[in-house]
Amino acid sequence: MIEVRDLVKVFDTRGQVVRAVDNVSTNVAKGEVLVVLGPSGSGKSTFLRCLNGLEEFDSGSVSIDGLQLADPKTDINAYRREVGMVFQHFNLFPHMTVLENLCLAQKVVRKRGQKDSEAKAMALLEKVGIAQKAREYPSRLSGGQQQRVAIARALAMDPKVMLFDEPTSALDPEMVGEVLDVMKNLAVEGMTMVCVTHEMGFAREVADRVLFFDHGKLLEDASPTEFFNAPKDPRAQAFLRQVL
Amino acid sequence: MKQKKAQWPWHVLTVLVLVGLAGALYYATSLMSYEWRWNRVPQYFAYQAEETQRATDISTVSELVRQGGSAQVTLRNDAGDEQHLTVDENSLQFAQGDDVAEGDVVGVTRHWAAGPLLWGLWTTLWLSLVSGVLGLLIGLATGLCRLSSNPTLRDLSTIYVELVRGTPLLVQIFIFYFFIGTVMNLSREFAGIAALSLFTGAYVAEIIRSGVQSIARGQNEAARSLGLSAGQSMRHVVLPQAFKRVLPPLAGQFISLVKDTSLVSVIAITELLKSGREVITTSFSPFEILFCVAGLYLLINLPLSKIASRLERRLAQSD
């Protein structure tokens, strides 16, 4: 489904060169749930943002379903249609109601009619348990509700892959559960997912594979049982000692 | 505990200060023996225009019907041809049976006509409106060019903005009228509007640019990640939010524009200020007229800022 080959992303801020993603290769199979772990500044978010081209990488290749991201012939907007993304800070459009947030891209990008878009939006809002807020503006919703709307907004485009960039890090603790539940249901339904997160419980329970990053390098690529019980890399061992 | 103090004594003080200032002004003008003649002012807003009605041939007043302040006069010449005239009764010059020579004034009709100050106000209004709309369009395009990834667009828009903002509007108006206007054979109104809208456009461009840049990057990223193109993201997501944010400075810019139209009086466009100065030369009441001119500018601008703040409140409903 997703193929990443020798991915390199370098940040060069006034001569200070940081290799944020350093020669990373991996595959994600259809229906697989990948959890990306690592200390802050390890490059895991940058890696995720490279997967849908929000970050332009310096070398290597990323492809989804055979569609090459870096190929100049690839229409980046057509590519992104197939890749849903959920952000740490939700990034809902504050000037639109929840329903309009879900309908905008359906209408503008997928060229669906008003009725079809709204029907799809309502079905998804029902699914994430927030249909009663469809006519509200995002500012009237709690963080957990906003993040669930953001997930529904991404799903409205019928993506093949969902990317999650620390979806629960900006939430109050009591709201983390409702968002994780939505993500678990998605995983059960067979959605292909890549999640950058600090939720170890989620990683253990839902992930098919765990990637561990530090200083831009992919240090571990293992099943959750292997990773949590017997991490091979000393930095992964140190990381787990601190967070568990 | 914080004591809530009464506000009204301070408002009374405000009124006293204003009355004191007005008194001081009156005293100052009395020292220079200025005679206030406000009664002369209304005629420059609107007056009764008189239109004289003349006989077209040597004839006799054959019929005269007085009716409610006006008189219907029928003149008949030797050949039996009739001329019908309606004049104001109190201006009637002839009685029934009188002989009338060709070209004689039979009477006048009166009707209300707008005076020079109203015409000036009208000119100022449409100058502001046209330059404002053009300025907004130029500013929007330039603002987006400033943010473009294309270096040529960025350079050109930057040069335009810096040139216009770095030189006085008065100089720009002269350049447009005397130089560009002569070369391209422009009318004075065209030159004036071009100068005003290019001037406004440069400031609007900076307002739009800062507004767009103030919208969090995540908004654009969210839109792009849903598959919207850069243009679609700008149109549906970034600009609507930016517009809400730049409304107060935009309103300020348009209020400035209304006032700046007074500068085109130097290229002999008879807008409000020039009308006022023309009236002063015939009325010999400079202070009254200048106060009226200032008042008329206020009359345009106060509702403008009122509308802007109402619009701002309506757009704030999603916050």
Side-chain angles (χ1 to χ4, degrees):
Chain A
M1 192 80 182
I2 311 179
E3 270 193 39
V4 183
R5 285 282 151 274
D6 309 320
L7 188 67
V8 176
K9 168 71 190 176
V10 180
F11 284 116
D12 186 350
T13 38
R14 281 180 232 103
Q16 249 202 325
V17 178
V18 177
R19 294 177 76 85
V21 179
D22 198 352
N23 226 357
V24 172
S25 299
T26 190
N27 288 331
V28 186
K30 188 168 163 50
E32 204 173 12
V33 177
L34 210 66
V35 167
V36 183
L37 298 176
S40 60
S42 60
K44 53 193 193 307
S45 277
T46 309
F47 167 73
L48 192 76
R49 288 160 60 84
C50 283
L51 296 186
N52 74 344
L54 279 186
E55 228 44 274
E56 276 184 63
F57 45 85
D58 294 276
S59 67
S61 72
V62 174
S63 70
I64 288 184
D65 249 3
L67 201 58
Q68 283 289 341
L69 178 54
D71 189 341
K73 287 197 286 278
T74 303
D75 175 5
I76 182 82
N77 301 317
Y79 178 99
R80 284 180 177 144
R81 256 180 253 163
E82 313 300 336
V83 187
M85 184 153 191
V86 176
F87 299 85
Q88 181 177 358
H89 295 286
F90 334 130
N91 297 356
L92 294 180
F93 307 134
H95 60 302
M96 297 179 180
T97 63
V98 165
L99 193 63
E100 288 165 346
N101 262 278
L102 267 73
C103 290
L104 174 70
Q106 294 191 64
K107 287 192 284 193
V108 174
V109 181
R110 289 275 191 210
K111 308 285 180 216
R112 287 183 191 142
Q114 177 75 26
K115 259 207 189 119
D116 293 348
S117 311
E118 281 192 15
K120 174 103 191 164
M122 286 312 294
L124 283 167
L125 288 174
E126 201 78 57
K127 189 170 151 185
V128 299
I130 208 162
Q132 74 282 4
K133 301 278 190 186
R135 309 274 167 193
E136 301 270 14
Y137 283 98
S139 56
R140 314 260 302 181
L141 272 57
S142 73
Q145 292 172 327
Q146 290 194 43
Q147 194 60 297
R148 284 186 282 152
V149 170
I151 294 172
R153 179 175 71 178
L155 290 174
M157 297 298 285
D158 296 319
K160 292 175 181 157
V161 177
M162 285 286 283
L163 309 177
F164 293 84
D165 189 1
E166 304 199 22
T168 56
S169 297
L171 295 177
D172 289 338
E174 75 269 23
M175 291 170 185
V176 170
E178 61 191 67
V179 172
L180 290 181
D181 284 343
V182 170
M183 290 168 65
K184 279 176 202 163
N185 285 338
L186 263 184
V188 170
E189 285 170 19
M191 175 61 75
T192 310
M193 293 162 61
V194 181
C195 315
V196 171
T197 185
H198 293 294
E199 296 296 326
M200 295 304 148
F202 178 81
R204 217 190 278 259
E205 193 183 333
V206 184
D208 296 309
R209 260 166 61 213
V210 174
L211 303 188
F212 178 78
F213 275 73
D214 197 17
H215 295 298
K217 287 201 166 59
L218 175 55
L219 298 178
E220 293 244 11
D221 184 345
S223 75
T225 21
E226 272 178 80
F227 178 77
F228 285 107
N229 296 333
K232 291 187 216 74
D233 189 272
R235 268 178 281 181
Q237 291 163 0
F239 174 76
L240 283 174
R241 266 199 304 281
Q242 269 166 358
V243 295
L244 291 180
Chain B
M1 208 182 105
K2 202 175 159 192
Q3 288 264 307
K4 194 165 168 65
K5 289 204 181 100
Q7 294 286 307
W8 65 266
W10 296 104
H11 292 307
V12 171
L13 184 64
T14 309
V15 171
L16 286 178
V17 169
L18 290 177
V19 168
L21 281 174
L25 194 70
Y26 181 79
Y27 177 67
T29 52
S30 73
L31 281 184
M32 55 188 273
S33 67
Y34 184 81
E35 199 178 327
W36 292 91
R37 281 181 292 225
W38 284 101
N39 59 329
R40 284 191 182 177
V41 171
Q43 57 178 315
Y44 296 107
F45 282 88
Y47 62 99
Q48 287 248 295
E50 290 191 346
E51 216 171 302
T52 53
Q53 305 289 331
R54 295 171 189 275
T56 52
D57 205 352
I58 302 168
S59 46
T60 326
V61 179
S62 64
E63 216 184 320
L64 189 64
V65 183
R66 294 162 191 269
Q67 201 176 31
S70 70
Q72 285 169 328
V73 185
T74 309
L75 305 174
R76 180 176 291 151
N77 66 5
D78 292 344
D81 296 332
E82 289 191 343
Q83 184 190 4
H84 300 281
L85 289 171
T86 308
V87 299
D88 282 12
E89 193 185 347
N90 57 8
S91 69
L92 193 62
Q93 303 291 321
F94 295 99
Q96 176 99 32
D98 281 357
D99 288 331
V100 181
E102 184 184 344
D104 273 359
V105 175
V106 179
V108 300
T109 51
R110 299 189 179 93
H111 57 88
W112 284 101
L117 286 181
L118 275 191
W119 278 113
L121 181 67
W122 166 243
T123 309
T124 289
L125 273 175
W126 75 256
L127 275 179
S128 310
L129 195 69
V130 173
S131 323
V133 170
L134 289 176
L136 189 63
L137 294 177
I138 295 171
L140 186 62
T142 312
L144 293 180
C145 284
R146 292 268 279 165
L147 297 163
S148 164
S149 54
N150 181 314
T152 307
L153 287 180
R154 235 171 26 227
D155 291 348
L156 286 177
S157 53
T158 307
I159 290 170
Y160 158 61
V161 168
E162 293 304 331
L163 273 185
V164 170
R165 294 206 311 171
T167 51
L169 176 55
L170 194 53
V171 175
Q172 292 167 19
I173 290 171
F174 280 134
I175 289 176
F176 260 91
Y177 183 56
F178 290 113
F179 177 62
I180 301 175
T182 311
V183 171
M184 297 174 66
N185 201 18
L186 304 177
S187 74
R188 61 181 85 246
E189 282 81 9
F190 196 103
I193 286 173
L196 286 172
S197 44
L198 281 174
F199 179 79
T200 306
Y203 283 88
V204 170
E206 284 301 273
I207 292 171
I208 299 268
R209 181 189 60 75
S210 64
V212 167
Q213 283 181 333
S214 77
I215 301 302
R217 211 167 43 134
Q219 289 291 312
N220 185 48
E221 285 184 350
R224 297 305 304 274
S225 77
L226 287 166
L228 273 74
S229 68
Q232 287 166 338
S233 164
M234 187 59 85
R235 171 164 142 42
H236 294 286
V237 175
V238 178
L239 276 184
Q241 296 180 56
F243 179 68
K244 192 163 103 180
R245 230 171 257 189
V246 300
L247 204 58
L250 270 187
Q253 194 57 47
F254 287 123
I255 287 169
S256 278
L257 171 64
V258 172
K259 296 182 292 180
D260 287 343
T261 56
S262 63
L263 288 173
V264 298
S265 62
V266 297
I267 55 171
I269 296 177
T270 314
E271 42 62 73
L272 189 46
L273 177 61
K274 181 138 192 301
S275 311
R277 293 179 52 162
E278 283 170 5
V279 168
I280 288 170
T281 58
T282 57
S283 69
F284 301 110
S285 302
F287 295 173
E288 291 90 330
I289 299 299
L290 284 176
F291 280 129
C292 281
V293 166
L296 287 172
Y297 279 112
L298 266 179
L299 198 68
I300 305 174
N301 281 338
L302 288 182
L304 212 56
S305 54
K306 192 92 195 154
I307 290 170
S309 66
R310 184 166 305 173
L311 207 60
E312 211 179 313
R313 232 174 306 142
R314 220 186 61 192
L315 287 172
Q317 64 171 343
S318 62
D319 290 341

